[in-house]
């Protein structure tokens, strides 16, 4: 495992011109166009990268992108690996291990999610304050490499309070409506039944999605600071659960993209 991470990191380093970034961004469903705001881009297709899984799902192009966002050097993942695609958790989180090996210190994550909090509207942005991990497999199960992180990692502040505060300040400055809440990570690929949405809300969730939690766990295991946001693309609120499709999720995510971008760009370049 350690050798594989090193091999992949060495390859990426050999392909990138200029300084290595300390900040990485994982772009979620329908949010890949955020890369349009990254300047001086260098693309590395996942298919070129040794040991990298290849993304299969519609709407997720697979590229590692290096460039500048605002004034900061960043590395972005355009397309991520989902558990429901059939990858195991070590594969899903492998890119985060590689990021750490490349010197990444801060990880920004975005995703599309279904809202269960009755105050939410489609197109809202939810800053993730905490998560509930309901994936059936844990990314840290198995042998622990102390070089990568501790056996029993603390999760009391998975999502950086410092970055959340700055994001709220930025949203206020720019007059962007942002919600905050708990993200429930589940395997998918089915969207939830009305009873499941209700259940996830009762246990403390405000939004539910099929990603993010594994990557955040590994990022925290490796000591990175994490900030994550969901775009609420559909509602699983009692009485108003409607049919959900991947197309609708993508459309709603795209609609919210400019708001999300403004917050992310400011946050990444300032902090
Ligand atoms: N459930 C799970 N994942 C999702 C949803 C949802 O309602 N919307 C977008 N991703």
């Amino acid at each position: 495992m350690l050798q594989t991470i090193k091999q992949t990191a060495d390859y990426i380093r050999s392909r990138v011109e200029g300084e290595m970034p300390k900040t990485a961004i994982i772009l979620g469903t329908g949010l890949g166009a955020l890369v349009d705001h990254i300047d001086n881009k260098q693309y590395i297709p996942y298919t070129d990268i040794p040991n990298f899984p290849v993304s299969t799902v519609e709407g997720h192009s697979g590229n590692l992108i290096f460039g500048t966002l605002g004034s900061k050097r960043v590395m972005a993942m355009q397309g991520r690996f989902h558990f429901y695609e059939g990858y195991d958790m070590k594969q899903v989180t492998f890119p985060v291990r590689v990021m750490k090996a490349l010197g990444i210190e801060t990880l920004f994550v975005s995703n599309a999610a279904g809202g269960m909090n009755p105050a939410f509207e489609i197109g809202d942005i939810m800053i993730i304050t905490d998560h509930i991990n309901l994936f059936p497999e844990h990314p840290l199960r198995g042998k622990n490499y102390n070089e990568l992180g501790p056996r029993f990692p603390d999760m009391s502040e998975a999502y950086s309070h410092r970055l959340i505060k700055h994001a709220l300040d930025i949203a206020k400055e720019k007059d962007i409506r942002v919600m905050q809440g708990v993200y429930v990570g589940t395997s998918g690929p089915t969207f939830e039944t009305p009873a499941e949405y209700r259940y996830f809300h009762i246990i403390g969730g405000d939004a539910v999605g099929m990603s993010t939690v594994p990557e955040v766990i590994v990022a925290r295991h490796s000591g990175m600071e994490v900030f994550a946001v969901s775009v609420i693309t559909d509602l699983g609120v009692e009485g108003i659960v409607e049919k959900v499709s991947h197309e609708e999720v993508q459309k709603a995510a795209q609609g919210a993209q400019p708001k999300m971008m403004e917050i992310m760009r400011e946050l990444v370049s300032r902090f």
Side-chain angles (χ1 to χ4, degrees), residues 112-115 186 190-192 197 208-210 231 233-236 244 249:
T186 183
T190 43
F191 290 115
E192 285 63 36
Y197 282 123
V208 55
M210 308 173 196
V231 170
T233 56
D234 52 276
L235 294 173
V244 196
V249 165

Side-chain angles (χ1 to χ4, degrees), residues 28-32 34 111-113 122-123 231-234 246-260:
T29 306
L31 301 164
L34 298 195
N111 62 51
I122 290 177
V231 170
I232 304 302
T233 56
D234 52 276
H246 185 58
E247 289 65 37
E248 281 170 81
V249 165
Q250 283 187 308
K251 208 167 132 232
Q254 269 151 24
Q257 208 156 238
K259 287 190 287 183
M260 169 92 116

